[in-house]
């Protein structure tokens, strides 16, 4: 009953056109442009680079891009956002309801429709179709800390931190309670043991984790 009520089939993924896909572990790759990209677990992207442009589509998950200075703009399409740089180190991450862009070094331009943002070192844009964009200050060293099996929750909600942990777990992590899902959390999650990380996250909000393997986990207040 638990599984039938909250889980259902594995969500459809935009993997048909993906060039690079990760599952339960992060992986570094060199793009066709020669720029480096480190993909978090459960991430998929397509590389459309040709002689005229450097263009990436991020379908899901999170990627740290280390882009060399070049006259050709480097663009990342992430949902409704277009991210453009000439040279920078930044992370783009997609969640169910949000796109997050975090800058470690350099300058990044982000566009959607007629709205534009320019982000510098130590700035993070949290964008959703419902809430628009909000820029917050972060520690540049905290960008893409999942490379060291850590998640620093600056500006993220409970559900978004759960999603980062979920990338390292089989099945799906479901947070059906809206108040719990949208609550803000602070601190650092240790991702080297994702099950314990999920339980520690739940404990910050006095919530409980219920296992429904092999489908995943349910978190309730």
């Amino acid at each position: 009953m638990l599984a039938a009520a909250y889980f259902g089939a594995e969500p459809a993924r935009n993997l048909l056109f993906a060039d690079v896909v990760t599952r339960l572990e992060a992986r570094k790759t060199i793009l066709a442009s020669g720029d480096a990209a480190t993909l978090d677990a459960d991430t998929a992207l397509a590389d459309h680079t040709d002689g005229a442009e450097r263009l990436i589509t991020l379908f899901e998950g999170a990627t740290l891009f280390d882009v060399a200075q070049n006259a050709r703009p480097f663009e990342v399409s992430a949902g409704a956002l277009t991210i453009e740089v000439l040279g920078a180190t930044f992370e783009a991450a997609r969640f169910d309801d949000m796109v997050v862009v975090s800058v470690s070094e350099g300058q990044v331009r982000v566009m959607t429709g007629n709205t534009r943002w320019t982000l510098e070192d130590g700035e993070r844009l949290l964008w959703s179709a419902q809430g628009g964009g909000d820029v917050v200050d972060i520690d540049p060293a905290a960008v893409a800390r999942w490379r060291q099996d850590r998640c620093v929750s600056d500006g993220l909600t409970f559900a978004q931190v759960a999603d980062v942990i979920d990338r390292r777990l089989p099945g799906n992590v479901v947070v059906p309670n809206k108040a719990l899902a949208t609550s803000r959390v602070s601190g650092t999650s240790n991702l080297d043991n994702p099950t314990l990380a999920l339980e520690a996250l739940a404990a910050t909000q006095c919530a409980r984790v219920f296992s429904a393997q092999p489908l995943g986990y349910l978190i309730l207040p």
Side-chain angles (χ1 to χ4, degrees):
M1 179 65 71
L2 181 69
Y6 291 106
F7 290 94
E10 181 76 8
R13 297 185 176 186
N14 297 315
L15 303 183
L16 182 60
F17 301 106
D19 296 309
V20 187
V21 178
T22 58
R23 294 304 184 189
L24 298 179
E25 295 182 350
R27 177 157 66 95
K28 186 173 182 178
T29 189
I30 301 299
L31 302 169
S33 63
D35 301 294
T38 305
L39 286 73
D40 195 11
D42 201 20
T43 294
L45 61 77
D47 188 348
H48 311 289
T49 296
D50 57 24
E53 59 184 358
R54 299 183 289 173
L55 179 60
I56 302 295
T57 299
L58 179 65
F59 293 120
E60 62 180 15
T63 300
L64 179 74
F65 297 96
D66 190 3
V67 181
Q69 189 74 29
N70 192 303
R72 286 188 304 162
F74 182 99
E75 291 188 3
V76 177
S77 175
L81 296 188
T82 299
I83 306 157
E84 182 180 276
V85 306
L86 295 178
T89 300
F90 69 98
E91 177 191 9
R94 294 191 64 174
F95 299 95
D96 286 342
D97 61 344
M98 181 174 283
V99 179
V100 177
V101 181
S102 309
V103 182
S104 175
E105 182 179 354
Q107 186 179 90
V108 174
R109 294 186 293 270
V110 186
M111 298 157 280
T112 180
N114 294 321
T115 307
R116 305 285 190 272
W117 298 268
T118 298
L119 307 177
E120 307 280 353
D121 308 14
E123 291 187 322
R124 168 176 285 169
L125 171 67
L126 303 109
W127 179 90
S128 68
Q130 297 78 23
D134 185 25
V135 177
V136 299
D137 293 327
I138 60 171
D139 181 355
V143 175
R145 280 291 304 278
W146 38 261
R147 292 173 297 161
Q148 294 85 38
D149 287 326
R150 298 291 185 272
C151 173
V152 180
S153 55
D154 291 335
L156 300 182
T157 66
F158 183 96
Q160 289 159 355
V161 176
D163 186 73
V164 175
I165 300 170
D166 184 18
R167 295 174 194 158
R168 289 157 173 75
L169 290 167
N172 300 303
V173 175
V174 179
V175 187
N177 183 277
K178 184 176 180 180
L180 176 62
T182 57
S183 61
R184 298 289 177 179
V185 294
S186 60
T188 301
S189 298
N190 188 340
L191 303 176
D192 57 5
N193 188 325
T195 303
L196 287 181
L198 204 62
E199 293 174 351
L201 173 66
T204 66
Q205 305 297 313
C206 298
R208 294 184 61 189
V209 178
F210 298 89
S211 177
Q213 294 304 316
L215 298 176
Y217 299 85
L218 180 67
I219 306 180
L220 294 174

